[in-house]
Amino acid sequence: AEEEERLKAQQKACEILQEYSDLEYWLNYQDFIDDRTAEYELEELKVVAQEITAECSTDYECIYAVAKYVSEEIYYDYKYYYGASNVLSLSAYDVYTSKKTICDGYERLCRTFLRLLEIPCMKIAGDNHSYNAAYDSENAKWIFFDATWMSANVYTVNDEWIKEESYSFYFDMTPEFMASLRSHEIYDAGGLGDGQLYYTLNTNESE
């Protein structure tokens, strides 16, 4: 019964995001960390984003190319995660240059790359986790993906860089699949509105 309720909640949340998320909002969205990114840094990231997607012909291909690139090039920072370091890269440019971060950094780098390609991309907050949904204009739908979980790369507490093959099944996730992951239950996502008045979807009962 609990699993059925969780699935229904995830399906409903996805339906709301698919129907009411404002494209312009997520094309222009920047949080306080994004605001610190210098113009020259954005220009450099834009060149990288264009190189990543040079052979892509659709939004869907671009979204996948960005997710795959980030998952393959960025390493999960277990040195920070386990408290062995207090240095954490979170801005898109810092994540790109340091090549290590936690889920918020993966999410932000993906979102920044896609925004620079003029593809709307939203941040989704789950249970102590964040990931993305990007808009596929050809098919008029949001594609849910998680570059953090796609990646198997690890930066260890001993400063080792361990590279592994990425997992594609965390790309284009269905509501059913996300509900089964627990940490991907949609707790919070903004940008719901009509261009004048915006709302935030919040499903976390503890808040």
Side-chain angles (χ1 to χ4, degrees):
E2 180 183 344
E3 291 183 359
E4 290 181 5
E5 289 300 316
R6 188 166 61 249
L7 174 57
K8 289 179 181 178
Q10 189 78 352
Q11 289 172 328
K12 185 62 177 179
C14 288
E15 288 174 7
I16 292 172
L17 295 184
Q18 292 285 4
E19 185 170 354
Y20 297 108
S21 294
D22 185 75
L23 301 182
E24 285 298 318
Y25 178 93
W26 285 113
L27 191 58
N28 298 297
Y29 173 82
Q30 296 187 68
D31 63 19
F32 72 99
I33 293 179
D34 297 326
D35 285 339
R36 299 174 184 171
T37 305
E39 196 62 37
Y40 78 89
E41 294 174 335
L42 287 175
E43 287 300 321
E44 184 175 340
L45 290 175
K46 185 174 183 178
V47 171
V48 176
Q50 290 171 338
E51 291 174 349
I52 294 169
T53 58
E55 298 183 5
C56 300
S57 58
T58 65
D59 283 349
Y60 189 89
E61 290 176 354
C62 287
I63 297 166
Y64 179 69
V66 165
K68 184 174 176 60
Y69 173 88
V70 173
S71 70
E72 291 181 343
E73 297 300 320
I74 306 302
Y75 292 68
Y76 196 90
D77 191 349
Y78 277 102
K79 187 169 186 176
Y80 174 84
Y81 182 81
Y82 286 119
S85 170
N86 60 3
V87 177
L88 175 64
S89 298
L90 277 181
S91 76
Y93 190 76
D94 286 348
V95 172
Y96 169 69
T97 55
S98 73
K99 294 190 177 296
K100 63 182 188 297
T101 188
I102 58 173
C103 61
D104 286 341
Y106 282 89
E107 179 279 318
R108 184 171 284 104
L109 183 56
C110 286
R111 179 161 44 82
T112 301
F113 274 148
L114 289 166
R115 180 167 64 85
L116 292 170
L117 294 169
E118 299 188 357
I119 296 176
C121 184
M122 73 170 74
K123 173 183 179 178
I124 297 176
D127 186 2
N128 294 315
H129 188 57
S130 59
Y131 58 104
N132 299 99
Y135 193 71
D136 174 3
S137 63
E138 286 90 357
N139 294 296
K141 65 177 291 189
W142 290 91
I143 305 299
F144 296 87
F145 67 94
D146 186 346
T148 308
W149 282 37
M150 286 175 68
S151 178
N153 297 339
V154 172
Y155 178 70
T156 72
V157 294
N158 298 316
D159 299 316
E160 296 175 301
W161 300 82
I162 302 175
K163 189 176 182 66
E164 301 286 353
E165 188 173 349
S166 61
Y167 305 115
S168 61
F169 43 82
Y170 294 110
F171 181 81
D172 199 357
M173 298 182 292
T174 65
E176 293 77 14
F177 183 59
M178 288 189 288
S180 72
L181 298 176
R182 298 281 184 154
S183 57
H184 290 66
E185 292 180 69
I186 297 173
Y187 279 3
D188 186 279
L192 306 175
D194 58 6
Q196 296 182 345
L197 184 64
Y198 290 107
Y199 298 89
T200 296
L201 173 67
N202 190 305
T203 64
N204 189 357
E205 294 181 355
S206 65
E207 296 184 356

